Amino acid sequence: MSRSNHVQMAKLAEQAERYSDMAVEMRKAIEVCSGSIGEDERNLFSVAYKNVVGQRRSSWRSMAGIEKKLEESDPKLPLVRDYKKKIEDELTELCSEVLSILNGMLLNQCTESCGKVFYLKMKGDYLRYLAEIKKDAEDKVEVGAAADVYQEAWEFSQAELEPTHPIHLGLALNYSVYYFEIMDDKEKACQLAKSAFNDAISMLDSLKEDSYKDSTLIMQLLRDNLTLWSAEGDDEEDGK
């Protein structure tokens, strides 16, 4: 099947909300062209795996929440842990698949700045998802790997993209979430989110019309996170 046919099948799968099928078709489309894809195709690739992995991340969080509420003597606890482990294995396989595609094809073939930041951000995201499920484990390789990739992406994005570019802002959003959720570093999370938000605000008048909606939406998410994280910090101070 040709690249265009795989892409069309992926679009049909998206309309049918069959994201596993969508991911398979986009992987095949990328393989056919050895990783040389355009903006629309990279967005389809991202959407497919984000939905497939997102469902399992949600399931894992549900099981982790149930596990914390159960006593060690509860007979349900082994069942919950086994099911959580099954979800972890699925998550690990899917994230590893995405990282293999990014490292093996997409990053190697990408020559333009927007695409490189997009793929580095995506690589950081999927390493973060792995770090999320291994946060309490002794082996924290993914935690450090995600930090390295996010930092590389951030430095490159600051040099190559406008502060108002939606990909740059999306990177700032996810990188700050990494600091808050994985590293438990509220100060760095707030610092990064606030800096990105303020830099974008200062150039809002020059924001391109075609990206205005996407950029302002991410800026709102950055501001929402800052409000939430700052409030949590205040609550901790009040509790001392």
Side-chain angles (χ1 to χ4, degrees):
M1 192 181 291
S2 68
R3 166 183 171 179
S4 61
N5 283 343
H6 284 303
V7 171
Q8 287 303 314
M9 287 299 298
K11 289 178 178 179
L12 287 174
E14 181 181 22
Q15 289 178 312
E17 298 184 359
R18 291 174 58 88
Y19 296 106
S20 293
D21 291 346
M22 184 184 181
V24 169
E25 293 299 336
M26 286 313 302
R27 187 184 72 239
K28 290 179 179 178
I30 292 167
E31 289 171 349
V32 166
C33 60
S34 301
S36 182
I37 61 174
E39 181 179 355
D40 289 342
E41 291 164 326
R42 78 181 181 219
N43 287 334
L44 287 169
F45 169 64
S46 176
V47 167
Y49 280 97
K50 184 176 181 179
N51 278 278
V52 172
V53 170
Q55 188 272 331
R56 286 163 177 80
R57 288 179 69 211
S58 178
S59 299
W60 182 86
R61 286 175 172 173
S62 295
M63 290 300 104
I66 294 171
E67 181 184 19
K68 286 182 179 180
K69 293 177 181 177
L70 295 177
E71 299 288 341
E72 282 294 328
S73 58
D74 195 310
K76 288 191 298 184
L77 188 57
L79 296 176
V80 171
R81 285 177 172 165
D82 285 347
Y83 197 52
K84 181 177 152 219
K85 178 63 166 58
K86 178 184 178 182
I87 298 168
E88 285 179 3
D89 291 344
E90 291 178 5
L91 259 173
T92 300
E93 183 178 355
L94 285 165
C95 289
S96 298
E97 184 175 305
V98 173
L99 291 168
S100 177
I101 294 169
L102 288 166
N103 291 328
M105 289 180 281
L106 295 175
L107 278 165
N108 292 336
Q109 292 296 324
C110 187
T111 57
E112 46 99 17
S113 298
C114 288
K116 183 174 180 180
V117 176
F118 183 95
Y119 292 138
L120 284 173
K121 170 189 167 294
M122 194 171 178
K123 181 177 177 179
D125 290 342
Y126 282 83
L127 285 167
R128 172 164 60 90
Y129 302 155
L130 288 173
E132 185 178 49
I133 62 175
K134 298 180 180 180
K135 187 177 178 181
D136 298 325
E138 292 184 8
D139 183 3
K140 298 183 183 294
V141 173
E142 289 82 3
V143 175
D148 292 342
V149 174
Y150 274 137
Q151 185 60 30
E152 179 186 356
W154 186 241
E155 290 175 0
F156 186 80
S157 186
Q158 285 183 306
E160 298 292 331
L161 301 185
E162 294 291 332
T164 52
H165 197 291
I167 294 177
H168 178 81
L169 289 168
L171 171 60
L173 178 67
N174 290 12
Y175 193 6
S176 61
V177 167
Y178 165 81
Y179 273 125
F180 187 82
E181 293 188 350
I182 305 300
M183 299 300 292
D184 295 321
D185 192 334
K186 296 178 185 179
E187 184 178 350
K188 282 191 176 181
C190 289
Q191 183 181 29
L192 178 58
K194 185 176 182 180
S195 174
F197 181 85
N198 288 340
D199 288 347
I201 281 288
S202 68
M203 297 187 67
L204 206 56
D205 291 340
S206 62
L207 186 58
K208 295 179 181 178
E209 187 176 346
D210 60 349
S211 62
Y212 184 87
K213 183 178 178 181
D214 289 340
S215 295
T216 53
L217 175 61
I218 301 170
M219 289 172 67
Q220 181 63 54
L221 293 173
L222 283 167
R223 188 166 65 176
D224 290 346
N225 280 352
L226 279 168
T227 301
L228 177 64
W229 297 341
S230 298
E232 287 192 12
D234 291 341
D235 289 343
E236 287 183 3
E237 288 296 324
D238 291 343
K240 288 181 179 179

